[in-house]
Amino acid sequence: MMPITRRSFLAASAAAAASPAFAAPAPATETEVAIIGAGAAGIAAATRIAAAGRRFEVIEAAARLGGRCITDTKIFGVPFDLGAHWAYGPDNPVTKATSWTELNVYPAPTGQRVRIGQRNARENELEDFLDALVRSNRGIAEAAQGKTDVNCARALPRNLGDWQPVAEFVLGAYPFGKDLNELSAVDVTKSAPRDSAVFCRQGYGALLARLAAGMPAQFSSPVTRIVTPAAARVDVHTAKGVVTARYAIVTASTGVLAAGKIKFEPELPKRQLDAIAALKLGSLDHIALELAGNPLNLQPDELVFEKSDGKRTAALLANVSGTPLAVVDVGGSFGRELSAKGERAMIDFATEWLANLYGADIRKAVKRSHATRWNAEPWALGAIAAAAPGNQSARGILTEPVRDRIYFAGEAVHETLWGTVGGAWDSGIRAAEAILRKMGVALGPAPARRPR
Ligand SMILES: Cc1cc2nc3c(=O)[nH]c(=O)nc-3n(C[C@H](O)[C@H](O)[C@H](O)COP(=O)(O)OP(=O)(O)OC[C@H]3O[C@@H](n4cnc5c(N)ncnc54)[C@H](O)[C@@H]3O)c2cc1C
């Protein structure tokens, strides 16, 4: 086993720990809880177990922590969230973290613009747009009450007229990375409202990294096999060696699990395999363009949709946190096809899309650019786990411990906050607490650092 960066991420009281305590390096081949993955779920699980004073080992495939919530500052010299950016809900970690970090947070604007060709939608047109969204949401919610789950496209009212394509994008591909016909009405209806959010000026990924400060982890150590022998233990295999634990928490995405990158011995029960297959990841990517001189003439963090005539559309978050970054989001089947064509094609699309909406001069204003390609990220293989129609129960199934030793956590298992950092975080806390209970640990209050 490689020497590891094990210093003690501690916190006998994580709630109070503004600066974590550190202990001497410790051996890594045997522990109480092996945590696979250092994204939001893995970090939360480690926080909870550390707070209970029990031993754990975080094993991470990538050379960095954060998973799908990571902020880059090198590409543009300003924070750019490669994955999650919106911290949803009034109880979110960004707000809470301000009390003990230097990070700067502020409410995300609640409104949005709609572009119709090269002009903004007028007041009455915006009302039509919002009305189309409300009626669509109502249709989906009503369908979710039915005896059998249906796909969200079937639940749309028939009279959306030419607002239908943008409504489909705003309710499906943009938030969940899948077209409405691939989304379960029950799953979408159960998902918590995402209408109040905050932004972190330094990036959501920077915030998560701050929450993980001091957390020991074995980086660049992809787990290849998880063996549960008859004895009461789990052997977690990486190319660098084996970590033997009493329990394992697996937070790898359902994309990674479905691809068979981690072999389970014995094989997972069919119930869990089916659940993983039913929670396929949708496609969502950010295409960031650095625009000189605010050529779009928009305020910081303005969100813009287009009254499109089909799936070939996007969302724009302009002047992110007051920087020159215009972030164009693509998702669903169109986003998947585009990302498969590579970064150049994505940047070209975003540039042309903006030029069509704001004029040809935009092309000249583009300086540096970058596109994420989450479907090709080897340790994610997609963006967000949205349940296939009829399969909302897959989330609950995946939380059932396997052979009393293996616990799954991560955004995919959260019933209402799936597809969010907060959901991933909560799921990590829950898995850790389930294990601590098994270990006979009397649980005190959960750490206060609980993102949503
Ligand atoms: C483009 C995009 C935009 C998004 N926008 C938002 C948003 O605005 N707000 C929001 O709340 N959420 C958003 N999300 C979703 C959010 O990022 C995820 O829900 C959340 O980060 C998932 O956390 P997790 O811990 O479940 O999984 P991950 O972050 O995927 O963490 C799993 C970890 O496991 C590691 N791993 C995988 N395989 C192995 C292995 N074999 N061995 C060891 N380690 C392994 C991975 O490297 C990773 O670090 C977005 C996602 C994307 C992609």
Side-chain angles (χ1 to χ4, degrees):
M1 186 67 58
M2 274 263 294
I4 47 163
T5 54
R6 183 173 184 95
R7 294 184 295 164
S8 197
F9 163 61
L10 235 226
S13 162
S19 50
F22 298 100
T29 49
E30 236 183 280
T31 191
E32 292 183 294
V33 186
I35 300 170
I36 292 99
I43 293 167
T47 305
R48 190 68 189 99
I49 291 167
R54 305 308 291 246
R55 288 182 301 134
F56 64 90
E57 199 62 42
V58 177
I59 308 164
E60 167 57 53
R64 55 157 184 89
L65 55 75
R68 283 169 276 167
C69 183
I70 173 176
T71 305
D72 174 90
T73 51
K74 295 206 179 89
I75 303 168
F76 298 106
V78 294
F80 168 40
D81 279 325
L82 299 171
H85 181 64
W86 301 69
Y88 298 109
D91 193 25
N92 68 64
V94 181
T95 315
K96 295 202 155 175
T98 44
S99 59
W100 57 271
T101 73
E102 69 294 356
L103 300 176
N104 182 299
V105 303
Y106 58 98
T110 47
Q112 66 264 302
R113 280 177 192 270
V114 175
R115 209 68 182 156
I116 303 183
Q118 291 203 0
R119 67 170 176 85
N120 290 330
R122 302 185 182 99
E123 202 60 37
N124 63 320
E125 291 166 326
L126 267 181
E127 276 169 22
D128 290 345
F129 165 66
L130 293 174
D131 178 63
L133 292 186
V134 169
R135 287 188 296 119
S136 301
N137 265 326
R138 198 184 303 137
I140 293 169
E142 281 168 10
Q145 306 300 319
K147 279 205 181 106
T148 24
D149 189 13
V150 296
N151 75 55
C152 291
R154 280 190 54 191
L156 288 188
R158 292 188 189 282
N159 55 353
L160 294 174
D162 51 5
W163 290 104
Q164 179 153 341
V166 60
E168 290 195 10
F169 175 75
V170 172
L171 298 177
Y174 176 58
F176 303 131
K178 287 188 181 174
D179 298 346
L180 288 184
N181 63 358
E182 289 187 87
L183 289 169
S184 143
V186 174
D187 203 33
V188 166
T189 303
K190 280 201 173 175
S191 72
R194 295 172 190 197
D195 38 13
S196 95
V198 290
F199 289 148
C200 177
R201 207 170 288 284
Q202 288 84 359
Y204 204 175
L207 170 79
L208 187 65
R210 187 68 185 78
L211 295 174
M215 184 185 80
Q218 302 183 25
F219 289 107
S220 306
S221 302
V223 169
T224 50
R225 272 196 312 148
I226 298 181
V227 182
T228 346
R233 63 168 218 260
V234 188
D235 294 335
V236 178
H237 293 248
T238 76
K240 296 172 183 169
V242 182
V243 174
T244 295
R246 289 176 68 189
Y247 299 95
I249 299 178
V250 180
T251 73
S253 75
T254 51
V256 169
L257 295 171
K261 290 196 160 195
I262 302 175
K263 306 274 179 245
F264 292 85
E265 293 173 23
E267 178 56 285
L268 291 176
K270 183 169 181 315
R271 202 172 151 70
Q272 268 82 11
L273 289 174
D274 289 347
I276 290 166
L279 293 168
K280 282 207 180 76
L281 297 185
S283 179
L284 187 61
D285 279 300
H286 302 310
I287 309 167
L289 308 178
E290 184 186 32
L291 299 181
N294 191 13
L296 307 175
N297 201 18
L298 290 168
Q299 298 298 312
D301 303 307
E302 279 205 66
L303 178 64
V304 184
F305 298 112
E306 166 204 23
K307 187 178 185 191
S308 62
D309 54 10
K311 291 192 168 78
R312 199 182 155 77
T313 189
L316 161 70
L317 193 62
N319 301 320
V320 176
S321 294
T323 69
L325 291 192
V327 176
V328 174
D329 283 357
V330 290
S333 59
F334 166 65
R336 187 179 295 282
E337 283 158 26
L338 183 64
S339 83
K341 291 181 185 158
E343 190 179 358
R344 188 66 256 165
M346 297 172 84
I347 292 165
D348 288 348
F349 164 79
T351 309
E352 287 314 300
W353 186 71
L354 285 181
N356 282 335
L357 296 181
Y358 288 94
D361 283 354
I362 298 301
R363 295 190 191 102
K364 285 184 250 155
V366 177
K367 304 295 171 200
R368 288 171 287 189
S369 52
H370 180 84
T372 64
R373 294 180 66 229
W374 283 99
N375 302 331
E377 284 293 324
W379 303 114
L381 294 177
I384 285 171
N391 284 285
Q392 205 276 337
S393 60
R395 301 192 190 281
I397 291 171
L398 212 49
T399 57
E400 296 167 6
V402 176
R403 291 182 278 280
D404 268 351
R405 299 277 143 204
I406 302 171
Y407 290 69
F408 287 97
E411 57 95 7
V413 311
H414 204 288
E415 300 268 338
T416 57
L417 293 170
W418 54 270
T420 71
V421 173
W425 182 276
D426 265 5
S427 76
I429 299 275
R430 284 186 206 166
E433 291 188 341
I435 288 173
L436 289 169
R437 265 186 229 106
K438 279 248 168 208
M439 289 162 69
V441 176
L443 294 182
R449 299 179 194 178
R450 186 187 275 253
R452 257 183 220 293

